[in-house]
Every structure is written in C-alpha cells, then in structure tokens.
Amino acid sequence: MTAQIIDGKAFAANLRTRIATEVARMNEQGITPGLAVVLVGEDPASQVYVRSKGRMTKEVGMASFEHKLPADTPQADLLALVERLNADPAVNGILVQLPLPDHMDEAAVINAITPDKDVDGFHILNVGRLATGQKAMVPCTPLGCLMLLRDRLGSLAGKNAVVIGRSNIVGKPMAQLLLRDSATVTVAHSRTADLPGLCRHADIVVAAVGRAGFVKGDWIKPGATVIDVGINRTEDGLVGDVDQASVEKVAGAMTPVPGGVGPMTIACLLANTLTATARANGLPDPEGLTP
Ligand code: NDP
C-alpha cells in the first residue's frame, strides 16, 4: 500500500479562501475582524511565524496589528499592553507569541487575555470549556489536525486514536477533540510502555513529539491515518516526527512535513479570529470552523 499524502497546504489555502469570503460578508455589515500579534524578543523562528501570520491576516482582509517589544520588557508592561488590547474594540483576537523570555510567567500572561479574544485557545477558561464540551476557542494546531482527519475519515466515532505527546498546546487538546468526536483515545508520552504496540492498534496516530522520524512504518496498522505535527530542523531540512519513507508503505493516508499540519495552524488562527469576531458581534459561528 502507498499512503495517500494529505495535502495540508491545499486544504489550508481553501480554508483561507472561505475565510476571506466570510470576512467580505462581515465587511458589508461594517465589521472588520482584527488580529493583534505580540512578539517579545527576537527569537528567529518566532519572527518568521509572526511575519507570516501578519501577511496572511491581511490577505484574508482582516486588520493586522503587530506589537514588537524588546526581550527585556518588564512583564508589567506586557500585561498593560494585553489590557489595552482586551479593551480595544478593533481587536477581536490576541495572540502572544510563545515562548516568552525566561523572566516572564507565561501562564500569567496568557490568562490575562480576555478568553473570548484568546485565539490560541491557551487561556485556562478555554481549556476548561473544551474539556467540558462548552463553546471554546480551540488551539489552532489540533483544530487543524481535526479538520484534516474529518475530511479524510468522515466520522471519527469508534476509531482507535493514539496521540503521542501530552503538551498543553498540541497533545492534550488534540486528545480532547478526538474524544469529543467519540474516538477511543490513548495519550502516549515519554513514559509510555510499548508505544509501537499501542500504535499498531490505532486507526489514527497523531505524532507531536519533537523527534525527527520517530514513528516508524512497522508501528503502523495497515491503512491507518497518520498525522505528523512535528517540525524538526535537521541537516536534511525540515522533517516531521514520522519516518515518511517507511510509514507511507503501510498507512492509508499521512500528512507530509512540510506541507501538512503546518499550513493548517495559521489558517486555523484566522478561523478562530473569524469565530471570535462573529461571537463578539452576536453572529452565529461561521460554519465548519469550530469543533
Ligand atoms: P513538547 O516538547 O511540549 O511535548 C513533546 C511530547 O512528546 C511530550 O509530551 C513528551 O513526553 C513526548 N515525548 C518525548 N519523547 C518521547 C518518547 N520517546 N516517546 C513518547 N513520547 C515522547 O512539544 P510540543 O507538543 O510543543 O510540540 C511537538 C512537536 O510539534 C514539535 O516538533 C513542535 O515543533 C511541533 N509543533 C508543530 C506545530 C505546527 O504548527 N505544525 C505547532 C506546535 C508544535 P513527556 O510529557 O513525558 O515529556
């Protein structure tokens, strides 16, 4: 078997086109969705992310507000900026780019964002809302993975899913979303026993580990769907957490790196900004952009 390669880049481009159409419809009602991105310091990867977020925000017709602060900014100044953005009616979504410099308390900063503008979905209230099945802002990367899985598989009910990784930004919310779609979910991590054996029973494997080529073909049940969240910079360029060469011989479908989950993350950030704008204006949630 040769796995179908799931084209996340094309899926994300379609999603952005749909979002742009919705934004144009909102514009007719005098509403312009606005996304504020805050970058503290000069981490090169973060600078790249922030630049492409700003560009794509404008491409779909939203307003983009960028705030760049020096690495030695006192936390109180960052919190004051977040407060101003919370109160600004032109700003519907606020994203504070992580990681923050060591002298800052990330949880305190994230939890200072108004939950309804928390388009990253990391605020403790959104985490609780997702876990309890309430309307939430859902973290962008797992939301993108969910969209790709539903597109490929239709209903996820009854599927065995293994999520490798238990981070707050990917693994845990991914598990919540799969559970919400009635998959049977196992969350694996560095202390998990017999991970290959667990994966061999899985219809869905989501790898969010941060280790190049970690998941091998002989771990995979024939026909399974494999989602590779990993982004690892190696001498061979950007590679995922899945060993594509061996896995594609066994899986039914898999995402590549690059061009799989990565483009979905920014598209889902825009989707969340649209959802936040709709909710702020008393409009129904845009179709298909929320779990
Ligand atoms: P973290 O480092 O926060 O989490 C990694 C997880 O992998 C941890 O839960 C860890 O377990 C687990 N792990 C580590 N080693 C093993 C092992 N040998 N066996 C099983 N599990 C293991 O990473 P993130 O969740 O933030 O990110 C994961 C990957 O996804 C990274 O490559 C990151 O760059 C990428 N990423 C990609 C995004 C995208 O847009 N495509 C967005 C966000 C992240 P333990 O908890 O026990 O330590």
Side-chain angles (χ1 to χ4, degrees), residues 141 164-167 169-171 188-191 195 208-211 214 229-232 241 261-262 265:
T141 301
I164 315 175
R166 56 173 160 179
S167 71
I169 64 169
V170 189
H189 46 76
S190 65
R191 310 292 290 274
L195 179 57
V209 190
R211 291 177 171 227
F214 180 71
V229 180
I231 299 180
N232 306 288
D241 289 343
V261 173
T265 297

Side-chain angles (χ1 to χ4, degrees), residues 78-290:
L78 175 59
L79 290 173
L81 172 61
V82 168
E83 275 313 311
R84 284 203 299 283
L85 297 173
N86 283 342
D88 185 344
V91 173
N92 300 103
I94 303 170
L95 181 151
V96 177
Q97 184 67 43
L98 302 179
L100 288 171
D102 290 345
H103 69 280
M104 291 196 180
D105 174 354
E106 278 186 2
V109 173
I110 297 304
N111 290 329
I113 298 171
T114 294
D116 293 343
K117 294 189 179 189
D118 166 41
V119 282
D120 250 345
F122 297 157
H123 190 291
I124 191 101
L125 257 185
N126 282 317
V127 177
R129 286 172 179 163
L130 175 61
T132 54
Q134 299 177 56
K135 255 190 185 185
M137 281 287 137
V138 176
C140 305
T141 301
L143 179 59
C145 296
L146 182 76
M147 287 183 188
L148 294 178
L149 283 168
R150 283 181 177 168
D151 182 65
R152 158 83 191 164
L153 298 170
S155 169
L156 307 185
K159 306 274 187 215
N160 285 330
V162 171
V163 178
I164 315 175
R166 56 173 160 179
S167 71
N168 291 333
I169 64 169
V170 189
K172 280 184 200 149
M174 186 74 249
Q176 291 290 355
L177 287 171
L178 289 164
L179 195 57
R180 196 171 160 139
D181 268 23
S182 298
T184 304
V185 185
T186 304
V187 184
H189 46 76
S190 65
R191 310 292 290 274
T192 295
D194 190 18
L195 179 57
L198 278 177
C199 289
R200 281 184 202 113
H201 292 286
D203 307 299
I204 296 168
V205 174
V206 180
V209 190
R211 291 177 171 227
F214 180 71
V215 175
K216 309 291 184 205
D218 63 357
W219 300 16
I220 301 299
K221 176 169 144 180
T225 303
V226 179
I227 302 290
D228 190 351
V229 180
I231 299 180
N232 306 288
R233 282 162 230 279
T234 69
E235 285 172 359
D236 305 328
L238 222 56
V239 301
D241 289 343
V242 173
D243 177 36
Q244 182 165 343
S246 61
V247 170
E248 72 182 344
K249 294 195 183 106
V250 191
M254 67 183 295
T255 58
V257 176
V261 173
M264 290 299 292
T265 297
I266 297 192
C268 286
L269 173 67
L270 303 175
N272 277 350
T273 305
L274 193 72
T275 300
T277 308
R279 290 178 185 171
N281 287 278
L283 301 170
D285 281 358
E287 199 138 327
L289 301 185
T290 48

